[in-house]
Amino acid sequence: MPAAASGLRGRLPVSVPVKPHLLLHRVPPAGALTRRPALSGLTRGFSIVELMVTVAIAAILLGLGAPSMVNAIRSAQINAIRDELVGAVQFARVEALRRASPIVLLRKSSCDVALSGTADWSCGFTVFADTDGNGAQGTTEPSIKDIGVARGYQLSHTAGGTTSVQMNHWGQATGGTQRFVISASGSSARLTTVCFNAGGRIQALAGDVACP
């Protein structure tokens, strides 16, 4: 054989026969790729007893905090009604001066709440320009502001129990000092009294109290 051919044979790869029993040992057993390690004791869930204790503690804490939460909600809602009333009175005064005409806060006589009488303003009230000065809202006297009262709360006009409050063209409340009491229905807590007189002074007082 020529020397060149002998040199090429030395460089060609030589195939080595593979024994079948060696291949069998290298193939992973069935299911080895999907097998998961067992969970350790540190990753276990809650037991029934632990869960029941946690629920019991949460119920006790919720029971202790519920009254405070209810009172906070009532206070916030009563304050919102107070601010709406005070804002409407101030608005009526400004409008009376601007228009040089009486402005009336008129009680709404019906809604989805049963009213206890003419002093009960729990349906809210409307503000309109009383152009003819008769104290009643006519067809040519549209509302310029509408005020509602949240369901479950009561607004009472306790000074005379009238169905309206009129501001004259000077922006003064006619009929003397006006007194409103705001409360949560069925509760004597968190009462607020709002007073305003002919001179324009508005006061919000804690409790069901007389106007100074």
Side-chain angles (χ1 to χ4, degrees):
M1 182 182 292
S6 176
L8 288 174
R9 173 176 281 185
R11 296 179 184 179
L12 291 175
V14 179
S15 59
V16 179
V18 179
K19 298 180 179 181
H21 71 277
L22 293 178
L23 288 175
L24 291 175
H25 285 293
R26 292 183 182 182
V27 176
L33 297 178
T34 59
R35 187 178 299 164
R36 297 180 180 177
L39 295 176
S40 66
L42 297 178
T43 58
R44 68 180 182 85
F46 291 105
S47 68
I48 292 296
V49 174
E50 291 170 334
L51 186 59
M52 291 178 64
V53 170
T54 302
V55 171
I57 293 173
I60 292 171
L61 294 177
L62 184 63
L64 292 175
S68 298
M69 186 179 299
V70 169
N71 288 336
I73 293 172
R74 282 178 176 169
S75 294
Q77 190 59 61
I78 287 175
N79 289 343
I81 297 171
R82 176 202 64 197
D83 294 344
E84 287 266 34
L85 174 61
V86 171
V89 171
Q90 293 172 335
F91 171 79
R93 281 184 169 145
V94 171
E95 284 296 299
L97 289 168
R98 186 178 71 83
R99 297 169 183 251
S101 173
I103 300 293
V104 173
L105 281 67
L106 180 65
R107 164 188 174 269
K108 293 181 181 179
S109 59
S110 64
C111 62
D112 59 350
V113 174
L115 301 177
S116 59
T118 57
D120 191 348
W121 286 42
S122 299
C123 284
F125 56 92
T126 186
V127 182
F128 71 95
D130 188 16
T131 54
D132 57 13
N134 67 354
Q137 187 175 16
T139 56
T140 60
E141 299 169 329
S143 301
I144 54 178
K145 196 175 184 67
D146 233 20
I147 303 296
V149 176
R151 189 178 181 84
Y153 293 84
Q154 188 170 19
L155 176 63
S156 301
H157 181 215
T158 59
T162 59
T163 59
S164 65
V165 175
Q166 186 185 66
M167 306 292 179
N168 61 25
H169 64 282
W170 297 110
Q172 299 172 327
T174 61
T177 299
Q178 304 295 319
R179 178 175 178 269
F180 287 85
V181 175
I182 308 164
S183 63
S185 298
S187 173
S188 59
R190 304 295 189 272
L191 292 171
T192 297
T193 300
V194 176
C195 305
F196 57 94
N197 57 24
R201 186 184 183 188
I202 304 176
Q203 291 179 292
L205 309 169
D208 184 355
V209 297
C211 294

